[in-house]
Amino acid sequence: MSERPTRTETDSLGSMEIPSDAYWGIHTARAFENFDISKRPISVYPHLIVALASVKQAAARANAELGALNAEKADLIDRACQRVIDGEFHEEFCVGVIQGGAGTSTNMNANEVITNIALEMAGHEKGDYAYISPYDHTNRSQSTNDVYPTAIKIALARSLTDLLDELDLLRQSFAAKGQEFRHTLKVGRTQLQDAVPMTLGQEFHGFATTLGEDHRRLSETIWLLAEINLGATAIGTGITADPRYASVVVRHLNEITGLKLETAPDLVESTSDAGAFMSFSSALKRSAIKLSKICNDLRLLSSGPQAGFGEINLPAKQAGSSIMPGKVNPVIPEVMNQIAFSVVGADTTVTMAAEGGQLQLNAFEPVIAHSLLQSILWMARGCQTLRVNSIDGITANEDRLETMVGTSVGVVTALTPFIGYTAAAALAKTALLTNRNIADLVVEADLMSREDVTKQLSPARLSGLEAVTMAIPVIDDADHAPVGSESTESTDS
């Protein structure tokens, strides 16, 4: 700082030299000294910066309307906030994301930056707080304890919209693959063992469906973020604020943000309780876990390519080994897995932080905000890279899938109504020992004609896409009689 021109600012602890060109002030400077921890400024979350400016802008308008703030000063603060909302000065919001003080450093950083923008617009020097004060004017009728949680909820609502957009695009990609692979037969698996057949399209359609369900569940969480405590000031009693302020400021805030926020019915409870953040975090965790499970499946289905499942091919994105030439790893699903692990850890952090609140305030909202905003941001980016760099480029190994279905003992399940369980079990054992095609074994045993076997083992019937709607005459195990044309005709759907 000594190499840059400075200005002197003073607080109750003493004086400090602040760079003359900095829009932040002494409280931000003290936070630099005290919380040099994360090496990540709050500006890494632009939605939070815009939310803070939106709250300050609503407060300026409400105070002006109620006569609690000079109209000229309120207008300057309002216009300064708008510049921040429009994307200017975000780099000046530079306190660390992890900080003590229940978010006071963040609130003061916002007060100082917005005040100094307003001062500059009015033709005053930065730091000329006798004209516009970060405390008496920009922070009028406010406390960190109502500004900060309100801004967090607005930021989460905005960030959630970004995540929902990416999640829906990913769902569409899976659905498109479901349509592309709709006729590609494969072996289903339960407990990692061969089960009955299905189509690869059904598998991918299932992925799309589960993402659609998560999209709906996450969308429903928006109500958790709608109730705010703005107007509570320090502990919920509204001290220093006009009794009308809470209702007026929420009206202005809704106009500014386009959200449907409402004042909590009990501001004391709302100021101390972080349960909404915990519930919101739980919904994020659910979505992350389901995304991770899908990625586990993709890694299994693409494993090999020679000694694994090898059913699908993921796009090759980078060399997979520094020692094994030609090796390619499923790096995109892997990164989604790791994002999910982080989200689960963040959920635990949010849970413990919510529990750690004491009496009239939760002092740990900074780590709650960081944990949730990071989780949403990483999940949105993870969904994007999963879609663009993996799902859209997946191809099916159709020859391998056809061979696996043809030799799978699982297909014999479709024939048990016609040849009986005992005969089917014997054929399954033979197929396992000889690795021969089930259909060939059934025809050779004179249990069904080639035409009937082909009909019953068609991809549409094996996958359930073509339902057998009429009664099926079950063959007595003791008879092992060949299926005649009359009985099979009765099963035509």
Side-chain angles (χ1 to χ4, degrees):
M1 287 188 183
S2 60
E3 298 178 0
R4 299 166 62 182
T6 63
R7 65 177 187 266
T8 303
E9 291 196 11
T10 302
D11 64 6
S12 59
L13 299 181
S15 298
M16 292 184 70
E17 294 301 306
I18 307 298
S20 297
D21 58 352
Y23 288 84
W24 44 265
I26 189 170
H27 290 281
T28 302
R30 294 201 188 282
F32 290 158
E33 294 181 347
N34 294 329
F35 309 124
D36 185 21
I37 297 167
S38 64
K39 304 297 183 182
R40 298 181 67 187
I42 56 173
S43 59
V44 298
Y45 303 124
H47 285 307
L48 179 59
I49 306 309
V50 171
L52 286 164
S54 298
V55 172
K56 297 295 177 181
Q57 186 177 52
R61 293 180 182 181
N63 283 320
E65 180 178 331
L66 296 171
L69 186 61
N70 172 276
E72 181 182 352
K73 290 181 172 61
D75 179 66
L76 285 167
I77 293 169
D78 189 329
R79 288 192 287 130
C81 289
Q82 189 61 50
R83 294 182 68 181
V84 175
I85 292 170
D86 292 339
E88 294 185 69
F89 304 103
H90 281 210
E91 70 282 357
E92 299 292 327
F93 291 77
C94 45
V95 296
V97 293
I98 300 299
Q99 55 189 253
T104 298
S105 294
T106 293
N107 185 39
M108 291 305 298
N109 190 175
N111 287 332
E112 290 172 341
V113 171
I114 290 167
T115 297
N116 281 310
I117 296 170
L119 285 171
E120 191 172 64
M121 291 169 64
H124 290 257
E125 295 293 326
K126 299 182 187 71
D128 184 7
Y129 299 145
Y131 183 70
I132 298 179
S133 165
Y135 331 111
D136 295 329
H137 302 128
T138 305
N139 199 62
R140 175 68 58 86
S141 307
Q142 304 156 61
S143 164
T144 293
N145 303 345
D146 62 350
V147 167
Y148 190 57
T150 298
I152 293 172
K153 289 182 177 180
I154 294 170
L156 290 175
R158 294 296 191 213
S159 300
L160 179 61
T161 298
D162 296 341
L163 173 57
L164 289 173
D165 289 345
E166 287 297 340
L167 194 62
D168 189 57
L169 289 172
L170 182 60
R171 180 198 61 79
Q172 293 177 43
S173 288
F174 275 112
K177 286 298 171 181
Q179 181 68 12
E180 179 182 342
F181 300 143
R182 65 189 182 280
H183 298 308
T184 304
L185 207 60
K186 61 159 287 176
V187 177
R189 296 179 183 84
T190 57
Q191 296 165 267
L192 289 179
Q193 304 300 304
D194 297 345
V196 296
M198 64 186 302
T199 66
L200 190 61
Q202 287 173 315
E203 194 162 32
F204 275 77
H205 186 272
F207 295 152
T209 298
T210 198
L211 293 182
E213 290 175 350
D214 266 2
H215 188 281
R216 289 190 291 275
R217 297 295 82 78
L218 282 171
S219 297
E220 291 166 359
T221 64
I222 195 69
W223 72 269
L224 293 167
L225 309 173
E227 186 179 280
I228 61 172
N229 72 328
L230 198 59
T233 64
I235 64 171
T237 60
I239 192 171
T240 74
D242 187 295
R244 300 166 293 171
Y245 174 78
S247 60
V248 174
V249 75
V250 75
R251 169 166 50 83
H252 284 292
L253 190 56
N254 282 333
E255 292 171 356
I256 292 165
T257 63
L259 298 174
K260 297 179 179 179
L261 306 169
E262 57 185 40
T263 303
D266 187 330
L267 290 177
V268 171
E269 182 276 338
S270 182
T271 302
S272 64
D273 181 52
F277 295 128
M278 189 165 52
S279 297
F280 183 78
S281 180
S282 179
L284 285 179
K285 181 178 71 172
R286 167 195 155 117
S287 183
I289 288 298
K290 294 176 75 172
L291 279 165
S292 189
K293 189 273 180 186
I294 290 171
C295 288
N296 289 342
D297 288 353
L298 294 175
R299 289 164 52 219
L300 277 173
L301 295 175
S302 65
S303 61
Q306 294 171 298
F309 284 17
E311 294 186 357
I312 63 173
N313 303 302
L314 300 179
K317 303 309 295 184
Q318 61 188 61
S321 175
S322 61
I323 189 173
M324 292 174 280
K327 191 173 189 293
V328 177
N329 295 327
V331 294
I332 305 301
E334 285 173 351
V335 79
M336 193 73 243
N337 287 133
Q338 292 175 81
I339 291 169
F341 305 157
S342 176
V343 172
V344 172
D347 179 65
T348 300
T349 297
V350 171
T351 300
M352 296 309 299
E355 185 275 338
Q358 297 166 318
L359 303 178
Q360 279 67 61
L361 182 66
N362 189 303
F364 308 116
E365 287 181 352
V367 77
I368 290 176
H370 168 58
S371 297
L372 292 176
L373 290 169
Q374 176 177 275
S375 291
I376 296 175
L377 179 64
W378 285 13
M379 284 178 66
R381 290 175 177 174
C383 286
Q384 182 183 57
T385 194
L386 183 61
R387 170 175 56 87
V388 173
N389 293 315
S390 187
I391 308 307
D392 287 346
I394 288 176
T395 57
N397 285 328
E398 296 189 2
D399 291 342
R400 179 172 174 80
L401 289 166
E402 183 179 353
T403 300
M404 293 171 74
V405 171
T407 58
S408 171
V409 299
V411 300
V412 80
T413 303
L415 304 179
T416 54
F418 305 98
I419 65 177
Y421 185 91
T422 301
L427 287 173
K429 183 177 180 180
T430 301
L432 283 172
L433 292 172
T434 63
N435 201 35
R436 293 190 60 199
N437 185 284
I438 286 289
D440 293 340
L441 292 174
V442 172
V443 173
E444 289 176 12
D446 202 25
L447 293 173
M448 294 180 73
S449 69
R450 174 68 67 178
E451 180 183 359
D452 290 332
V453 171
T454 301
K455 181 188 299 182
Q456 300 308 322
L457 298 186
S458 68
R461 291 200 174 193
L462 284 176
S463 62
L465 295 177
E466 179 183 306
V468 179
T469 58
M470 298 181 69
I472 299 174
V474 178
I475 300 299
D476 189 333
D477 281 346
D479 294 338
H480 301 302
V483 177
S485 60
E486 182 177 346
S487 65
T488 55
E489 286 176 2
S490 70
T491 67
D492 288 348
S493 52

